[in-house]
Amino acid sequence: MSVKPAMPLKERMKHAIADETLIEAVKKTTDRLEGGKLASSEALGNWQEWREQGSRIRSHVVQHLDYYLGQLIQNVKKRGGHVHIADTAEHAVQIFLDITKQKNAKSVLKSKSMVSEEVHLNKALEEIGVKVLESDLGEYIIQLFGEAPSHIIIPAIHKNRYQIADKFSAISGEQISEDTPTLTAFARRKLRQEFLEADIGVSGCNFAIAESGSIVMFTNEGNGRMVTTLPPVHVAFMGMERLLPSFEDLETFVNLLPRSATGQKITSYVSVINGPRKEEDLDGAQEFHLIIVDNGRSNILGDDEFQEVLNCIRCGACLNVCPVYRHIGGHAYGDVYPGPIGAVITPLLRDDMKVWGDLPYASSLCGACTDACPVKIPLHDMLVHLRARKVKLGLTPGWERMAFRMYRGSFANPGRYRLSMRAAKLMVPFMAKDGYIEKGPLHMLGWTNARHFPSPAPQSFREKWAQLSAELEGPKGGDSK
Amino acid sequence: MSSNLTEQEFALLKRIAGRLGRSEPLTEKPSRDVIGPPDFWRQFQLSQEEKIERFCESWRALTGVAETVQSEWEAVDVLKRWIQEENITNLIRWDHPELESLGLDEPLRLSGITVNVWGHGDPQSMKEIANQAEAGITWADYAVADTGTLSLFSSREKARSVSLLPPIHIAVFRAKQLVTRIGEVMVKIDEMNRNGSLPAGVNFITGPSRSSDIENDLSIGVHGPKKVFALIIK
């Protein structure tokens, strides 16, 4: 799917940084989530052992994905569910549209599904005149504004209560006040009738259990339960790698996922769906469809540098600790998955370094994401690997390649190094003022536009070294008494 | 194992196998040494008294109301009190033998409260009754002390709607149904799957419905229940 961002990353970042409300909201949210995570993982204890356990289970599944996925497919069918394989995003959408047509469905009600965002399901449904409604409070709000989520866990962090109250007032024709209970009550009332009347419920899938053919959802609001309990048809979208072997393994992720995402010990609801309702049951969907989506995931398998990224459980912890995400928010990443995980998987899933190859540069390589990841994905290494890949593909700008050639040339040879240092020092008086460079040349502007750069020291370390070693070698204990 | 795979399903598995360096999809269960939770966690076991205490503490931390009683007779008293305090006039309950034997319906009806029992009607009208009800009463299959979590298995008589649609959810269970860790329930679900008795839905419920989507401000009762009660019979 050739999705292209509207403008280059640098432009997107500039827009984001200029939006003070957004940046304030992002900081506040990430602080809260990160604080919660630290407190609750501390309270659980042995966090590193839990991470190790989670990482090993996920790595094992990904390494044997053909087996577990085969097992899942068989078991979903055994339970009376329908399985669909979507190789691409377009394919996934087509499968869903076919189900919609077959059911003659007029209204589709969704709980949160990142994969359905990834394949742009809503747009396709609107185009054929099917009413599609998001039911997660945050997703519902941004859908009313016609915007995309800016955070995996809290999609509407960039909207304040006044904007939300105005929007609710506009769609209902009554005056809705901006206090949270009123806003929440409005959404509850508005969506309740929709839940009862929808033809198809759509959900995501946090984990599928291979051994039983089940899907598991972690939710807080209850809308995930609504869309799988009330409408006659339930369709779940699943990224093909989101598997665990058995329920026993789920315990580890019950302990890892909510803590990493929001700092909760467990979400309000952990819902297990084992196919459609039983014949004698009186509620639950009568028909269950599972759409297993590849959409670029199999390209990552077998790639030693990146295979581990498929361990991701989409908790958002890497977003909350990332200094870059905290400054630019989610939209600047230009696609569904923001933050460090987005900077890694977007170029890989899209398989297009030309368009998405700038994302790995939206990082300070500080490694906070790797430390935060509950399944120990070495995200910062992957960001470096992606940059290297971009260089190998010859996609970096000419001036950059030239600069690095010069850098390599001068740093590879002591004589040339000394010469270039001296040359650089000669430039200092033209640039520095009071020990600082306030306006750098060329690409130093990116730095000096926001802060001053310390001017190089008058004497380099190497020049000092001669003097220092002489002092060290000096007569020992030669101090006069 | 690939006996009943469609062409497309098999093609995906073959593509995955190829990427992982196998010529054919793996059909033999791979061996693994890491299963479930870490070893130290399996040792975590609370006494009966500790379980009750830990459950109530976790449940209350999320605005839930929890009480422990010694007998069924006392249980009815507490339930009546809760229902009166919340001004409930119309409720729905699971068609569950334990709830039946409490003999709750009669005294409630005498005080003018409508008691609906799930399953006594067609699905559409049941859904509507559950949606109109001010409270839903269930009997938990298990309760997890560690996190303060109820575990509910669905069936014809034990509908998912009863713990979801009404704004108040009241769950009753006996102290012996408490386990320490959620993994103990997970193992039971695995067993149910292996012996062919898995219900269509299993819900783990911890506290009321909640959201922080508006300016990080916690709000309770977005789509699911706003208030949750747990009653433990010793």
Side-chain angles (χ1 to χ4, degrees):
Chain A
M1 188 147 182
S2 60
V3 177
K4 278 200 169 71
M7 45 189 150
L9 176 68
K10 271 198 174 156
E11 292 303 309
R12 301 201 300 268
M13 284 185 169
K14 275 192 188 127
H15 274 262
I17 290 168
D19 186 343
E20 279 176 35
T21 332
L22 167 75
I23 300 311
E24 213 38 59
V26 172
K27 279 208 176 72
K28 199 171 136 186
T29 307
T30 50
D31 278 341
R32 178 177 67 88
L33 295 174
E34 169 61 0
K37 183 207 157 179
L38 290 173
S40 69
S41 52
E42 183 69 30
L44 174 67
N46 302 306
W47 188 244
Q48 298 313 325
E49 283 91 335
W50 281 107
R51 289 176 77 212
E52 182 60 30
Q53 193 81 359
S55 166
R56 285 195 190 175
I57 293 171
R58 290 291 294 136
S59 290
H60 170 84
V61 168
V62 171
Q63 194 53 46
H64 302 91
L65 193 59
D66 46 353
Y67 174 79
Y68 289 112
L69 206 48
Q71 195 186 20
L72 176 81
I73 292 168
Q74 311 259 3
N75 286 323
V76 170
K77 289 182 187 175
K78 248 187 238 164
R79 301 206 160 277
H82 303 270
V83 176
H84 309 268
I85 306 294
D87 293 337
T88 62
E90 291 88 344
H91 200 169
V93 169
Q94 197 48 55
I95 290 165
F96 190 85
L97 294 184
D98 290 346
I99 298 171
T100 312
K101 285 192 192 105
Q102 192 204 332
K103 295 284 142 203
N104 198 10
K106 300 280 172 287
S107 69
V108 172
L109 203 52
K110 293 176 68 198
S111 64
K112 212 153 126 194
S113 155
M114 294 301 287
V115 175
S116 76
E117 296 271 353
E118 183 188 320
V119 303
H120 299 288
L121 178 68
N122 296 16
K123 208 166 115 249
L125 284 168
E126 281 155 10
E127 277 165 11
I128 62 161
V130 172
K131 177 173 155 190
V132 56
L133 203 56
E134 295 288 349
S135 63
D136 172 272
L137 184 56
E139 296 266 358
Y140 173 66
I141 291 166
I142 56 173
Q143 187 186 22
L144 291 176
F145 283 93
E147 292 178 14
S150 55
H151 190 286
I152 298 184
I153 305 298
I154 319 273
I157 57 180
H158 56 289
K159 289 286 169 219
N160 68 39
R161 61 180 63 257
Y162 302 98
Q163 295 168 304
I164 298 166
D166 286 350
K167 183 56 84 174
F168 284 3
S169 304
I171 60 164
S172 65
E174 48 187 302
Q175 194 54 42
I176 310 282
S177 76
E178 68 277 345
D179 61 288
T180 313
T182 305
L183 294 172
T184 305
F186 173 80
R188 180 185 174 102
R189 242 188 359 261
K190 185 96 182 110
L191 285 164
R192 180 55 71 101
Q193 215 45 43
E194 306 279 354
F195 285 127
L196 293 161
E197 289 164 6
D199 300 315
I200 299 180
V202 171
S203 79
C205 163
N206 288 98
F207 298 104
I209 308 292
E211 199 184 308
S212 62
S214 316
I215 69 159
V216 184
M217 297 156 40
F218 286 69
T219 63
N220 277 316
E221 295 182 8
N223 57 316
R225 292 185 61 195
M226 294 275 180
V227 303
T228 58
T229 301
L230 299 173
V233 180
H234 168 206
V235 181
F237 280 84
M238 168 193 165
M240 69 175 201
E241 78 291 2
R242 303 299 292 281
L243 274 157
L244 294 175
S246 66
F247 282 103
E248 195 176 356
D249 298 298
L250 188 59
E251 182 176 13
T252 290
F253 296 91
V254 167
N255 277 297
L256 284 171
L257 175 60
R259 278 185 178 85
S260 300
T262 59
Q264 291 168 276
K265 274 163 84 175
I266 185 173
T267 44
S268 302
Y269 305 111
V270 176
S271 306
V272 179
I273 313 280
N274 305 309
R277 72 162 76 159
K278 298 228 185 287
E279 207 165 327
E280 66 277 9
D281 286 357
L282 301 173
D283 71 353
Q286 284 142 303
E287 215 177 282
F288 172 67
H289 295 261
L290 180 63
I291 302 180
I292 299 172
V293 179
D294 180 339
N295 199 28
R297 286 163 174 78
S298 55
N299 298 334
I300 304 172
L301 280 169
D303 184 332
D304 287 347
E305 282 179 345
F306 298 110
Q307 181 169 304
E308 265 183 289
V309 83
L310 294 173
N311 290 3
C312 175
I313 56 174
R314 305 284 192 272
C315 69
C318 59
L319 279 58
N320 302 330
V321 296
C322 177
V324 176
Y325 177 85
R326 290 167 57 94
H327 279 91
I328 64 176
H331 290 155
Y333 290 82
D335 203 3
V336 188
Y337 304 107
I341 185 65
V344 173
I345 58 172
T346 301
L348 293 170
L349 290 179
R350 300 269 181 226
D351 199 17
D352 186 347
M353 289 299 283
K354 222 190 186 89
V355 173
W356 298 102
D358 51 5
L359 281 182
Y361 292 78
S363 161
S364 64
L365 298 182
C366 68
C369 47
T370 301
D371 290 340
C373 178
V375 288
K376 298 175 84 166
I377 300 169
L379 287 161
H380 70 295
D381 289 339
M382 292 181 181
L383 290 162
V384 176
H385 295 321
L386 279 168
R387 293 182 186 189
R389 214 162 265 203
K390 189 175 171 178
V391 173
K392 280 195 195 100
L393 290 167
L395 293 170
T396 45
W399 64 263
E400 186 180 300
R401 286 202 298 275
M402 167 83 89
F404 275 99
R405 261 204 303 277
M406 283 164 61
Y407 171 84
R408 192 174 60 203
S410 69
F411 272 67
N413 169 306
R416 278 202 295 257
Y417 172 80
R418 276 197 293 275
L419 190 69
S420 56
M421 285 300 118
R422 276 206 292 274
K425 223 160 74 180
L426 291 176
M427 298 295 295
V428 169
F430 297 99
M431 295 191 300
K433 212 170 69 191
D434 305 329
Y436 283 100
I437 298 172
E438 290 180 16
K439 201 165 168 51
L442 307 170
H443 280 81
M444 225 167 106
L445 273 172
W447 177 286
T448 55
N449 278 345
R451 41 194 147 2
H452 294 165
F453 195 87
S455 141
Q459 203 184 9
S460 78
F461 178 76
R462 285 180 171 277
E463 285 162 355
K464 267 195 169 158
W465 183 245
Q467 197 183 329
L468 285 169
S469 61
E471 279 176 30
L472 285 171
E473 295 299 307
K476 287 199 171 64
D479 49 335
S480 52
K481 285 176 184 165
Chain B
M1 163 158 157
S2 57
S3 51
N4 56 355
L5 290 173
T6 64
E7 209 171 305
Q8 224 183 350
E9 289 159 1
F10 189 73
L12 173 69
L13 298 187
K14 198 151 163 99
R15 180 162 75 239
I16 292 171
R19 296 285 316 186
L20 292 167
R22 288 185 272 272
S23 54
E24 288 296 313
L26 195 63
T27 53
E28 211 166 303
K29 192 174 175 162
S31 67
R32 56 184 186 131
D33 49 0
V34 177
I35 300 176
D39 283 339
F40 68 83
W41 188 248
R42 292 176 193 266
Q43 316 303 318
F44 173 37
Q45 195 57 55
L46 298 170
S47 73
Q48 188 63 4
E49 273 312 307
E50 287 168 330
K51 278 188 227 173
I52 294 172
E53 204 174 310
R54 175 74 69 99
F55 177 89
C56 293
E57 192 186 318
S58 307
W59 188 255
R60 288 172 188 144
L62 297 167
T63 72
V65 177
E67 281 195 38
T68 310
V69 292
Q70 300 296 336
S71 67
E72 283 82 354
W73 179 76
E74 254 184 285
V76 173
D77 270 355
V78 172
L79 290 169
K80 261 176 32 192
R81 174 162 46 89
W82 281 347
I83 289 161
Q84 269 158 359
E85 280 171 0
E86 296 297 331
N87 298 317
I88 292 161
T89 58
N90 168 9
L91 61 83
I92 186 163
R93 70 164 175 85
W94 274 3
D95 185 3
H96 193 286
E98 291 272 26
L99 289 174
E100 192 69 49
S101 71
L102 280 183
L104 181 69
D105 305 6
E106 201 50 37
L108 287 178
R109 283 178 183 143
L110 280 175
S111 46
I113 293 159
T114 311
V115 179
N116 302 285
V117 180
W118 177 272
H120 295 215
D122 65 282
Q124 193 50 40
S125 61
M126 280 322 324
K127 195 154 79 169
E128 209 36 61
I129 289 168
N131 189 47
Q132 295 302 325
E134 292 151 11
I137 305 180
T138 61
W139 187 282
D141 290 274
Y142 292 99
V144 183
D146 171 41
T147 46
T149 301
L150 306 167
S151 178
L152 270 50
F153 297 170
S154 76
S155 74
R156 180 192 164 85
E157 295 78 18
K158 295 155 65 192
R160 289 173 259 191
S161 308
V162 175
S163 62
L164 177 66
L165 294 178
I168 291 174
H169 173 211
I170 300 169
V172 191
F173 57 92
R174 290 182 196 284
K176 64 170 194 263
Q177 292 168 268
L178 274 163
V179 296
T180 305
R181 313 166 3 234
I182 201 166
E184 296 171 65
V185 184
M186 296 299 175
V187 170
K188 291 191 194 320
I189 299 174
D190 273 330
E191 279 166 20
M192 289 167 93
N193 172 46
R194 284 161 204 165
N195 67 28
S197 63
L198 200 58
V202 176
N203 274 296
F204 293 95
I205 300 174
T206 313
S209 149
R210 54 187 278 167
S211 171
S212 300
D213 274 338
I214 298 172
E215 287 193 8
N216 292 298
D217 190 10
L218 180 64
S219 56
I220 301 292
V222 191
H223 297 304
K226 303 173 188 189
K227 247 183 143 166
V228 291
F229 294 80
L231 180 59
I232 307 172
I233 303 172
K234 278 196 163 172

